[in-house]
Structures are given as C-alpha cells and as structure tokens.
Amino acid sequence: MFDFFDYMPIQASTWADRVDWMNNWITDVSTICTVAITAVMLYFAIRYRAGKHSAPSSKADHNLNLEIVWTVIPSIVCVYCFYIGFDVYKEMRTPPANATEIGVTGFKWGWNFTYENGKTSSKELVVPVGEPIKLVMKSSDVLHSFFIPSMRVKEDLRGDRYSYLWFTPTITSDEQPGGVFPIFCAEYCGVNHSGMRAGLKVVSRAEYNDFIQERGAIELSPLELGAKLYNEKACITCHSLDGSKVVGPTFKGLYGANREFTEGEPAVADENYLRTSILNAGKQIVSGYQNVMPAFEGQLNDKEIDALIAFIKAQKP
Ligand code: HEC
Ligand SMILES: [Cu+2]
C-alpha cells in the first residue's frame, strides 16, 4: 500500500516482492487503525471531560448495525491476510522438481554446505542466479534456524529429520558488502549462536560450475559414496536397481513413490521416509515384505545416510 516504513533488506529473490507487500500491508492497516483509534479516543476524552461539557446521560446502550460493521470488516481483513499469506506459503512449501539441491548441516556453531558433486563449503553458500535452489537441511545437534533475510526465507533445522527451503535468487551478490548476502542462525542455540554467520554468494551459472568443479581429488560425490555403500553395506543383496523384487523392494523409482504398509497410513517416499527406513526399517513394514532388514541406526553417519539417499534418488523409474 503506502510503504510508510522502508526498513526491509534488499529484495533478492522471487519471494521478496510478495513477502514485503504483505508485510507492508499489515503494517499500514495496523498503523492507520492505531492512529485513527487514538485520535478518536483523545477527541472524546477532551470533548466530554468532566465539567460543564459533561455528556448528558444517554439511554442508548447498543447499536446493532454498528456492531455488525465492526465485526464484519475486521473479519474480512483477517481472512484476506490469511489468504494472501497462505497463497505464498503453499508455494514456499513446494520446491520445484528441477531445483538445484544443496545440503545444509547446522552444528554448534556453524554451517556446512554440500553440493551435488560432493564439494563442501562452510563460510559461503554459493548458488547460481535465476534458478530455483532447494536446500535440504539437518542439524547435527540442537535446533538451529537458517535465515537469509535478502531472500525472505527462514526455516528450522532439526536433528531427527530433514527440513526444506527453496528460493530463486534474482540478482547476483556482487554489489553487496563483502560480495555476499548475510546468513544468520535465527534460533537461540547456545553461547556462540550469534557467531553462526555465513554469506550467500549468488553468481552466474558459469561461475557456479567453476566453483563446484574445484574440489579435492579423493572426495567422492554423494552419489559415488552411495553406490559404494550400497555394495559394502550389502543393501545390494536385498534391493535391486532394475525393478525386480528380491528380499526387499527395488530401489528403482522408489523416490517420490507412494508406499503402503502392513499397518498404518500410506506415505510418500521422500528424504525423511528414506532416512527412517534405512535407520529403522522395522518401524514401517512395506506391504508384501517381511521384517528382515537390519536396523542401520548407529552404523551409518549422517554423510553416509545422505549418500545412500542420493543414490536411491538417482534410481529413476
Ligand atoms: C536382509 C535384507 C536387507 C538388507 C541387507 C537391506 N534391506 Fe532394506 N529392506 C529389506 C526389506 C525386506 C524391506 C521391506 C520391509 C520393510 O519395510 O522393513 C526393506 C525396506 C527398505 C526401504 C524402504 C523401501 C520401500 O520400498 O519403501 C529402504 C529405503 C531400504 N530398505 C534401504 C536399505 C538400505 C539403504 C540398505 C543398505 C544400507 C538396506 N536397505 C539393506 C531388506 C533388506
Ligand atoms: Cu544456531
């Protein structure tokens, strides 16, 4: 509406416009109401102060029309706020399938970023401009929250499951101080909480490719490590890659598929489902199979679990 207050950080993602519009709209409506109500209150307090101007005693006790008006109008305003908020929220919850995926791990007190080919970084998260970016996030200890003000996104990181964020950066970060958009932890997580700062570096696709290409020779990509573990941890003895049913279900086309169980509600095989299945297969038994898969809880570290998930995701239908 009027944009009375200009305090928001630079708009650098496709969300920014809509988030700011909503923020300004709510602030403007609240400001107008506060000013109007205060003005009327002051006017009445002075106009009808005790003394010779005292209000004559009145027989009016209520006014139905007035009450309907001041109930219906605020209700419409509230429902409208909810509606436009929900509209953006729905999109924010649904990352597009073609997004570039980057892993984020929060720990006391810092961040680790893992790119698709196994390259890692910690002080700077580097992303290509103009493309959707999906962050698959997890904490290795307490709750943290990943906050990039210029992208207008923030989401908690938990220790027991993955959470997601996605955004499309609209401008590169060249012009920013330090060449990066600031990243903060927004969940109080201990003494060095305020030290959990990093930078989001938004670059061209070509620069991004160069950046992820520079990596140590011995580092395996998550996919390569996943393939190695698939053999070494003997998943291969019970899970095929070609669609055939062995002791366990095939990994072919598993990611994103609907799963049915001997007990309980069906589920979609997303990252959280795969993680639970790998660590604790006995929790939900896939219909048509026996509960014979060993629990890998405690036998695989986070990096290995992420690698197996990447490997399963790569087995396209
Ligand atoms: C001894 C055989 C066996 C081994 C070894 C085994 N699994 Fe399984 N797995 C199964 C069976 C049987 C099921 C289906 C029953 C269930 O849900 O527990 C299953 C289910 C799964 C599921 C859920 C599949 C679906 O269709 O929803 C995943 C994911 C999985 N296993 C991953 C793995 C990984 C990764 C490994 C290796 C680290 C592994 N499994 C090792 C037998 C095995
Ligand atoms: Cu933190």
Side-chain angles (χ1 to χ4, degrees), residues 107-111 123 144-145 182-198:
F107 58 93
K108 288 195 282 188
W109 284 276
W111 310 100
K123 281 284 145 208
H144 299 281
S145 180
I183 295 174
F184 303 98
C185 178
E187 181 69 64
Y188 184 61
C189 57
V191 286
N192 281 334
H193 162 66
S194 59
M196 285 185 74
R197 304 186 58 161

Side-chain angles (χ1 to χ4, degrees), residues 101-117:
E101 282 191 26
I102 301 175
V104 177
T105 312
F107 58 93
K108 288 195 282 188
W109 284 276
W111 310 100
N112 272 325
F113 308 115
T114 309
Y115 303 86
E116 62 229 284
N117 68 349

Side-chain angles (χ1 to χ4, degrees), residues 35-81:
V35 170
I37 292 169
T38 312
V40 171
M41 250 164 53
L42 285 174
Y43 172 75
F44 283 165
I46 294 166
R47 175 78 176 74
Y48 299 112
R49 66 187 182 277
K52 62 178 161 92
H53 299 287
S54 293
S57 60
S58 158
K59 288 191 194 63
D61 56 3
H62 81 286
N63 182 323
L64 186 63
N65 290 338
L66 203 57
E67 282 176 22
I68 290 176
V69 168
W70 74 45
T71 307
V72 170
I73 292 179
S75 302
I76 292 174
V77 171
C78 287
V79 170
Y80 180 64
C81 286

Side-chain angles (χ1 to χ4, degrees), residues 277-304:
S277 298
I278 296 171
L279 294 180
N280 211 331
K283 241 183 175 171
Q284 285 170 308
I285 313 298
V286 181
S287 295
Y289 295 90
Q290 302 292 313
N291 183 12
V292 292
M293 174 165 159
F296 284 90
E297 183 105 63
Q299 310 202 25
L300 296 165
N301 63 32
D302 273 350
K303 193 174 166 187
E304 292 170 329

Side-chain angles (χ1 to χ4, degrees), residues 226 229-239 246-251 254 257-261 267 269 273-294 296 300 304-305 308-309 311-312:
L229 291 167
Y230 171 71
N231 286 292
E232 282 176 4
K233 299 286 176 188
C235 321
I236 190 170
T237 55
C238 302
H239 295 283
V246 202
V247 181
T250 182
F251 285 165
L254 172 56
N258 286 316
R259 312 309 296 150
E260 285 181 3
F261 310 104
Y273 170 76
L274 295 178
R275 185 183 173 86
T276 314
S277 298
I278 296 171
L279 294 180
N280 211 331
K283 241 183 175 171
Q284 285 170 308
I285 313 298
V286 181
S287 295
Y289 295 90
Q290 302 292 313
N291 183 12
V292 292
M293 174 165 159
F296 284 90
L300 296 165
E304 292 170 329
I305 299 163
L308 280 166
I309 293 174
F311 177 73
I312 294 174

